Amino acid sequence: MTIRDIDTLIIGGGVVGMSIAYGFAKAGEKVRLLDEGDDAFRAARGNFGLVWLQGKGLSNPDYARWTMASVGRWSSFAKELTQTSGVDLELSQVGGLTICLEEAELREYVASLETLRSAIGTHYPFEVLDPQSLRELSPHIGPDVVGAVYGQLDGHVSPLRLLRALTENFRMLGGEMIGSVHCDRIEHRDGAFHVWTDGREHVAGRLVLAAGLGNRDLAPMVGMQAPIAPNRGQVLVTERMQPFLRHPSVHVRQTGEGVVQIGDSKEGVGFDDGTTIDQLARIAHRARRYFPILENANIVRTWGALRVMTPDGYPIYQESGDCPGAFLVTCHSGITLAAMHAGPLVDWMRGASEPPEIHTFKSERFDV
C-alpha cells in the first residue's frame, strides 16, 4: 500500500492556487503547494486587481451567478485574511464604472446587462449614469465621456497584498510551500498521485492543477484536457498622485498607494509578455480622454502579462474521470473568484455536492 506524505498536493502558486491551498489548509488538511518560481508566466502578479461583477457572464448566466456569489463573500474573506496575517488588502467595494465614449457603445452595453439580469432571475444591480450624474460621482471625468454604467458591487484590491496574505495564512495553518520546482511527471496508482519535481517524489491522495498556462501540459498526465491559450494585457503605472479616483473602472484605477494603473488591452500574441509602444500609446490616450487630469502624469513603469484564456473565456473546474481525486482549475478571474475558490470550490473537491453554478464549466464543452 502506498504511503501518502500529504493529503492534497497543489501545483501552482498564483492567486488561484494559493486561494485553494488556503481553503484546504483551513479545513485541516495537510497540504503541499509546488510553485515553478519567477520564470513562470505570472498572471497573478501582473493583473489589474479588480473584484468585479459588472458584465461578467454576458453569454453564460451561470458564470454571472458564480461571480456574484464570490463578490458577495469578498468583504468577509478579506477581513478573515487580514485579521490573521495583519496584511491590509486595500479592498474597496464602493462600486465600479464602465465608462463609454460613444452613445452606441453605452446603449449596446446596457442592453446586454439588461438581458443578463433577466436571464439570471435575481437581483443584479447596476445603474446607468448620464454625464451630469457621472460627474457628481466622479468629478474628474472628461468632456468626451457620454455616460457610464455604475455597478454597486464592484471594487478592487491589491493583488500583491492578497497573494502575500494568502501565503502567510497558508503557512500559519501548517501548509508547506516549495518554490522553484518544475513538475516532470505525474502518475496515478494505488489510489494516490505520484508527482516528480526535479528528482523528488511527492505522494498525495488528492491533486489540484492550478498552474495557469502550465495546466495545458499537466492536465493530460491525469486524463484531462486544458484547452487554454495566453492573451496579453499591457499596463501602465503613473507616479503617485493626489486621490482623485474613488471608483475603479476596467481601464483605470487608483491604488491605495496613490499610483494610477491604466490598461485592459487584449492581444493574442502567444507567449510574448512584452510591451509595445503602439498599444501603450492607445491605452494612455483613452485614459486621458476618460480623465484629463492624467495628461501630464509621469509614467513610471509598464508591463505585459498573460491571461489564461479558454476558447469561450470561462473557467474549467473538473475532476478527472480516469484519475479520481485529480482536479483541474483554470480561470482568468482569479482575484474576483478567490473567495469562491477558497470556500465552495474546496468544499466540492473535499466531497461536498458540486455547486450548481459550475456544472457547465467542464472541458468536454470544447469537444466539438
Side-chain angles (χ1 to χ4, degrees):
M1 182 177 180
T2 298
I3 298 176
R4 306 171 186 176
D5 53 351
I6 48 175
D7 300 316
T8 300
L9 181 67
I10 297 167
I11 302 178
V15 169
V16 174
M18 283 305 315
S19 298
I20 293 169
Y22 167 66
F24 274 111
K26 187 181 174 185
E29 296 206 6
K30 188 175 181 181
V31 187
R32 181 178 298 155
L33 183 143
L34 307 178
D35 184 54
E36 190 171 10
D38 288 335
D39 290 338
F41 292 103
R42 292 191 175 279
R45 296 187 182 180
N47 71 82
F48 217 57
L50 296 179
V51 178
W52 205 257
L53 169 63
Q54 187 185 155
K56 295 292 185 75
L58 291 178
S59 60
N60 190 324
D62 283 338
Y63 189 59
R65 296 185 186 98
W66 184 243
T67 303
M68 184 182 295
S70 192
V71 167
R73 285 172 169 258
W74 242 102
S75 177
S76 59
F77 179 60
K79 288 177 182 177
E80 173 185 298
L81 291 175
T82 297
Q83 284 174 355
T84 48
S85 69
V87 178
D88 178 7
L89 274 58
E90 296 181 348
L91 174 67
S92 171
Q93 281 185 282
V94 297
L97 298 168
T98 296
I99 305 168
C100 296
L101 297 169
E102 304 291 340
E103 293 282 0
E105 176 191 12
L106 180 59
R107 287 196 303 270
E108 181 179 347
Y109 181 57
V110 171
S112 65
L113 290 179
E114 290 173 342
T115 299
L116 177 59
R117 180 159 59 186
S118 298
I120 64 177
T122 188
H123 181 57
Y124 185 83
F126 66 88
E127 180 182 355
V128 184
L129 303 179
D130 60 24
Q132 180 179 343
S133 300
L134 176 57
R135 288 187 182 92
E136 291 173 359
L137 188 69
S138 189
H140 291 276
I141 209 77
D144 292 347
V145 173
V146 300
V149 173
Y150 171 59
Q152 292 93 327
L153 301 180
D154 297 323
H156 58 150
V157 72
S158 167
L160 296 183
R161 288 171 176 260
L162 170 61
L163 190 56
R164 178 184 165 195
L166 286 167
T167 303
E168 292 192 8
N169 275 279
F170 173 63
R171 286 174 168 158
M172 283 189 288
L173 290 166
E176 179 187 6
M177 184 173 179
I178 301 176
S180 301
V181 293
H182 178 75
C183 178
D184 302 308
R185 190 168 88 253
I186 303 173
E187 292 182 7
H188 181 234
R189 65 174 189 271
D190 301 325
F193 295 92
H194 301 252
V195 178
W196 282 266
T197 59
D198 305 324
R200 177 180 175 181
E201 182 181 6
H202 311 265
V203 184
R206 184 187 296 109
L207 174 69
V208 181
L209 304 181
L213 293 166
N215 279 344
R216 187 164 62 178
D217 295 327
L218 295 174
M221 298 183 189
V222 286
M224 292 186 283
Q225 297 297 321
I228 52 179
N231 182 275
R232 185 173 69 187
Q234 297 186 43
V235 176
L236 302 93
V237 176
T238 72
E239 62 190 332
R240 285 182 172 86
M241 303 178 65
Q242 288 295 321
F244 74 93
L245 181 56
R246 185 167 181 246
H247 300 87
S249 76
V250 294
H251 301 111
V252 184
R253 80 176 186 105
Q254 189 169 24
T255 72
E257 289 83 11
V259 306
V260 179
Q261 277 188 262
I262 307 167
D264 194 43
S265 68
K266 296 179 174 65
E267 308 165 72
V269 293
F271 287 88
D272 180 359
D273 63 352
T275 59
T276 60
I277 294 297
D278 59 338
Q279 277 289 344
L280 293 176
R282 181 189 65 80
I283 293 167
H285 177 67
R286 181 183 59 193
R288 184 193 59 79
R289 294 182 69 191
Y290 289 158
F291 299 101
I293 193 175
L294 293 171
E295 185 167 6
N296 295 315
N298 291 318
I299 301 297
V300 297
R301 63 183 181 275
T302 64
W303 66 75
L306 301 181
R307 302 177 183 90
V308 182
M309 297 296 291
T310 60
D312 61 7
Y314 295 119
I316 298 173
Y317 302 121
Q318 185 157 358
E319 182 176 11
S320 173
D322 296 337
C323 305
F327 294 86
L328 172 64
V329 179
T330 183
C331 75
H332 77 279
S333 293
I335 302 293
T336 297
L337 297 175
M340 295 302 277
H341 290 166
L345 193 72
V346 165
D347 293 341
W348 166 59
M349 289 189 281
R350 296 186 69 240
S353 298
E354 183 179 62
E357 299 93 340
I358 70 171
H359 286 336
T360 59
F361 299 133
K362 311 303 177 193
S363 63
E364 286 85 356
R365 68 186 188 270
F366 304 117
D367 295 342
V368 295

